[in-house]
Amino acid sequence: GEYTLSGATALGGAMPVNTHGGFLSEGYVHGWNHIAEAAAQLRGQAGDRQVAGARIALTTGAPGYVGGVTSALLLEGGS
């Protein structure tokens, strides 16, 4: 709680999380929006949401509490 409240997970923080709104703005396409956001971040194409120096992204799909299963991708951008 304190880590999040400190702003560390916000854009510009030490570890930005859900830069596109996470599952609150998902539209329920089972994680595809998360993958698109991760790719945009790693390409430097996220506009106002861009994380400076983004090189690694972790994205997950379909929260496990819904169907009991989930998936994850760990992506690394180029230099």
Side-chain angles (χ1 to χ4, degrees):
E2 287 184 33
Y3 186 74
T4 300
L5 289 173
S6 76
T9 61
L11 188 60
M15 186 174 64
V17 174
N18 290 330
T19 53
H20 72 304
F23 279 110
L24 294 175
S25 66
E26 174 60 24
Y28 226 78
V29 290
H30 302 287
W32 284 101
N33 289 346
H34 297 293
I35 296 167
E37 175 70 8
Q41 288 288 344
L42 295 176
R43 291 177 178 163
Q45 300 172 336
D48 292 342
R49 300 179 320 280
Q50 184 62 49
V51 174
R55 298 213 42 231
I56 296 174
L58 171 66
T59 179
T60 62
Y65 65 85
V66 173
V69 297
T70 192
S71 60
L73 292 172
L74 184 59
L75 308 169
E76 181 176 12
S79 54

